Amino acid sequence: MESTQYYLSNDLAPRLAAIDIGTNSIRMIVAEALRHGSYRILDDEKEPTRIGRNLSTTGRLNPEAVESSLQTLRRMKQIVTGYQVRELRAIATCAVREATDGADFCRRVRDEVGLDIQVVSAEDEARLAFYGVPRSFDLDGKNVAVVDIGGGSTEIVLASNKLIESIYTTPLGAVRMTELYGGSQAESNEEFERLVRSVDRLLKKHTEKPPFVPHLLIGSGGTFTTLGSMVLAARGAANQRVQGAVVTQAEVRHLLERLRKMPAKNRRAVPGLSPDRADIIVAGLVVIDAVLRRFRVNQLQVHAGGVRDGLLLTMVDESMGAAPAPLRDQTEAALQFAARCGVDLAHSQHVARLAARIFDQLAEPFALAAGDRGLLETAARLMDVGYLIDYDQHHKHSYQLIRNSRLTGFQPQELELIANIARYHRGARPKKKHEAYRRLAKRDQQRVSRLAAILRVAGGLDRSHSQQVSDLHIEFKPGQVVVAIVADQLPEVDLWGARRRAEFFEDSFGVDLLLNWDPPGEVPAESNGKSARRRKSPAAT
């Protein structure tokens, strides 16, 4: 992410600044980094420029709002300069990301203001919104949903024990939905019901059936903080901090019914509701109510931080050295991640070793790429991380956790391949209807299928989780791959586990797979193994 850097001498408390250009407003924060990974706010500015006004119908940024935004950014940069910050980062989210003239806006900001804007993806926006949550809420041993509602979109992060399982991005922004469904004056029951049905439909379309009922739903963004302020005011606790405020679903619905029947001009007088949100608050509350119903949660907690807070905290971590030091050893990074997910490391490490042994002996006859060995071993170490979420469907959750892990030392494309390999270590085979598999290039699809097939067999060879199989040797015969299992005693359960997983291997490599075990000291039997099925004329090369 690009940034503007300023260097000061003897700067014991580094000063940092972050600017978030959102669909509804531009926000800036200037802060001093603290040693424990937090910060002290020096200045906090917000300007409701509404740059995404009419974007849903025109596809372009609002011209008047663009000029207003340029003026706002000039003023904010002057403030930042006055504080002599060490580093300034500016990001833009949904409106600039979607607008056909978003790149032109960024160019004007660079040329006219002297500020580089990083347009973040929806997934990165979600990660930034989540980044500060573990520091403000106790997530140990909990399944949580973190929801960030902006003007143009809503991002949802599902996490377990601080690890991201899924990220959902939706077009459910408060500004967007207000404009699409009758505007701020849509008071009739018919218009309101259209809005509710549309939000429910889009939420269902852009999210999957939740893998768990969250212990906690945490809401960030202006809609949630406004909700918290209104609820606290209604309770007679207007002076209480909105951070951490608990709001029930019943309170959301009561407030929604009250506000939707109230003309927008009258809403401005509602305690806790800022005038610049009076026209979009109804749509925002409809989204909150829909999310609570979708994830079957009866209450939420408000997080006063958000994307801007997450951005600043990443800067604090980098500035103060709080971020974990890069791991040179990819194996170490994978094992640390697996341990955090509660994986049986003895089993996963053993499966990784057996998978590598199979790979090494198949590499030359089947022209396997040498670099794929590491992907296979990492997938083996991480194949069971999904147990953190659910037992029966753990392979699917392993995919999500690995893909969202951002493991040190791995490129995003490598993590995508590793996640897919782990996804297919059990359960259904790869299919074109599986979206993640379908996104892969054809060559990568073949790599995933072959590596996952090896992983299935290796996993079967430690079905007992007892590491009885100490080694294996492969012999090639016409149309056959014969695996001689090395074990001190008959590994009955492990042979059974590998044989029942052999069919995927046979289809992927075009051979019959035979697995044999002979007692130590005896002459190997010619063929006492079993194959999932026989072929008439398979080719081993």
Side-chain angles (χ1 to χ4, degrees):
M1 182 176 293
E2 293 183 358
S3 62
T4 301
Q5 296 190 359
Y6 306 84
Y7 297 94
L8 303 176
S9 60
N10 300 319
D11 190 3
L12 299 179
R15 290 183 175 181
L16 310 169
I19 296 176
D20 174 16
I21 304 171
T23 302
N24 186 57
S25 60
I26 299 177
R27 305 194 66 169
M28 177 202 70
I29 188 168
V30 180
E32 284 185 346
L34 302 179
R35 290 290 177 186
H36 57 276
S38 185
Y39 56 82
R40 181 172 71 87
I41 296 176
L42 300 176
D43 205 332
D44 192 348
E45 298 285 332
K46 172 188 172 184
E47 188 67 35
T49 57
R50 198 68 66 85
I51 197 171
R53 184 188 300 125
N54 302 323
L55 174 65
S56 56
T57 55
T58 67
R60 297 177 63 83
L61 299 175
N62 182 274
E64 294 179 0
V66 165
E67 299 305 322
S68 174
S69 296
L70 289 169
Q71 292 179 11
T72 296
L73 290 170
R74 289 190 192 95
R75 176 171 55 84
M76 288 182 172
K77 189 185 178 188
Q78 289 173 350
I79 293 173
V80 168
T81 302
Y83 277 104
Q84 296 182 291
V85 302
R86 171 183 292 183
E87 183 180 9
L88 164 64
R89 291 186 188 177
I91 63 170
T93 54
C94 184
V96 178
R97 183 170 63 235
E98 292 185 4
T100 57
D101 57 344
D104 292 336
F105 171 75
C106 292
R107 188 160 42 250
R108 285 193 64 185
V109 173
R110 184 183 65 244
D111 295 344
E112 299 178 27
V113 183
L115 190 61
D116 288 323
I117 303 296
Q118 174 73 33
V119 181
V120 297
S121 69
E123 287 201 354
D124 282 342
E125 185 178 352
R127 289 189 177 93
L128 287 173
F130 179 79
Y131 194 83
V133 171
R135 306 190 192 198
S136 301
F137 298 85
D138 179 14
L139 304 187
D140 289 337
K142 295 178 181 177
N143 297 326
V144 299
V146 177
V147 183
D148 184 77
I149 299 177
S153 65
T154 290
E155 282 70 45
I156 302 170
V157 175
L158 297 184
S160 184
N161 201 27
K162 303 180 184 179
L163 299 174
I164 295 177
E165 197 274 345
S166 300
I167 295 177
Y168 302 122
T169 62
T170 78
L172 297 175
V175 173
R176 187 198 301 270
M177 301 311 291
T178 297
E179 293 178 349
L180 289 176
Y181 293 92
S184 61
Q185 301 300 324
E187 301 164 26
S188 71
N189 287 331
E190 182 179 347
E191 288 296 320
F192 179 73
E193 290 303 323
R194 282 184 63 235
L195 170 61
V196 171
R197 287 195 300 270
S198 177
V199 170
D200 285 342
R201 176 177 55 82
L202 288 170
L203 188 59
K204 185 176 181 180
K205 176 181 178 181
H206 291 277
T207 65
E208 298 174 348
K209 183 179 178 181
F212 50 70
V213 176
H215 296 106
L216 183 63
L217 189 146
I218 299 168
S220 69
T223 299
F224 279 105
T225 53
T226 300
L227 166 65
S229 296
M230 289 189 292
V231 168
L232 290 175
R235 295 174 184 169
N239 293 329
Q240 182 178 325
R241 291 182 62 212
V242 72
Q243 172 66 21
V246 177
V247 180
T248 67
Q249 187 176 28
E251 287 176 310
V252 173
R253 290 182 176 176
H254 175 76
L255 193 57
L256 178 57
E257 282 299 309
R258 176 187 168 203
L259 293 177
R260 80 176 184 87
K261 297 174 181 178
M262 186 184 296
K265 62 180 181 180
N266 292 349
R267 292 181 202 142
R268 298 173 184 272
V270 174
L273 176 57
S274 58
D276 63 282
R277 285 195 173 270
D279 60 332
I280 61 174
I281 190 60
V282 169
L285 292 179
V286 167
V287 174
I288 292 177
D289 182 57
V291 169
L292 290 170
R293 286 186 283 105
R294 175 66 170 163
F295 293 96
R296 295 177 288 168
V297 181
N298 293 321
Q299 66 179 26
L300 61 89
Q301 279 189 270
V302 177
H303 179 39
V307 173
R308 182 193 52 165
D309 174 64
L311 174 61
L312 188 62
L313 284 171
T314 62
M315 297 168 66
V316 169
D317 285 348
E318 293 168 8
S319 173
M320 305 302 295
L327 294 169
R328 294 182 180 276
D329 188 349
Q330 293 179 330
T331 300
E332 183 182 351
L335 288 175
Q336 286 187 8
F337 182 66
R340 290 177 64 192
C341 295
V343 168
D344 179 352
L345 293 181
H347 169 65
S348 66
Q349 280 280 70
H350 192 65
V351 172
R353 194 173 71 82
L354 293 177
R357 288 286 292 144
I358 296 173
F359 180 94
D360 290 341
Q361 296 174 72
L362 296 181
E364 185 175 348
F366 291 96
L368 302 180
D372 285 354
R373 186 182 194 270
L375 301 180
L376 174 62
E377 289 181 287
T378 302
R381 295 184 179 103
L382 300 179
M383 64 183 180
D384 290 336
V385 295
Y387 280 132
L388 180 70
I389 309 297
D390 177 69
Y391 177 83
D392 291 333
Q393 300 294 317
H394 77 269
H395 53 297
K396 297 180 182 179
H397 298 298
S398 291
Y399 168 81
Q400 295 287 0
L401 287 166
I402 295 168
R403 181 175 181 269
N404 290 306
S405 67
R406 293 193 160 188
L407 279 177
T408 302
F410 294 92
Q411 296 299 317
Q413 178 61 19
E414 291 177 316
L415 284 179
E416 186 67 36
L417 291 171
I418 292 166
N420 271 280
I421 297 164
R423 157 73 171 85
Y424 295 110
H425 83 274
R426 68 181 294 274
R429 302 187 195 186
K431 299 176 182 178
K432 292 294 180 66
K433 70 177 182 179
H434 297 162
E435 182 180 354
Y437 180 74
R438 187 174 63 246
R439 286 198 304 260
L440 297 174
K442 189 173 181 179
R443 176 178 175 273
D444 289 339
Q445 289 178 352
Q446 184 186 49
R447 292 167 71 193
V448 164
S449 293
R450 286 189 163 189
L451 296 176
I454 293 173
L455 182 55
R456 285 199 187 201
V457 173
L461 289 173
D462 196 37
R463 178 66 177 80
S464 64
H465 285 238
S466 61
Q467 294 81 61
Q468 277 188 277
V469 176
S470 61
D471 202 0
L472 56 88
H473 304 285
I474 292 178
E475 180 183 357
F476 297 96
K477 295 184 178 182
Q480 295 180 338
V481 167
V482 182
V483 182
I485 303 301
V486 179
D488 292 336
Q489 298 178 354
L490 173 63
E492 187 173 356
V493 172
D494 300 322
L495 277 172
W496 169 80
R499 285 168 178 163
R500 68 192 297 262
R501 295 182 173 193
E503 189 172 357
F504 182 23
F505 182 97
E506 293 179 330
D507 286 342
S508 297
F509 288 93
V511 296
D512 287 331
L513 179 65
L514 298 166
L515 295 122
N516 302 325
W517 175 80
D518 294 291
E522 292 191 10
V523 179
E526 181 65 22
S527 180
N528 65 344
K530 294 182 180 179
S531 171
R533 67 175 181 275
R534 303 290 180 181
R535 284 179 171 74
K536 293 182 179 179
S537 57
T541 59

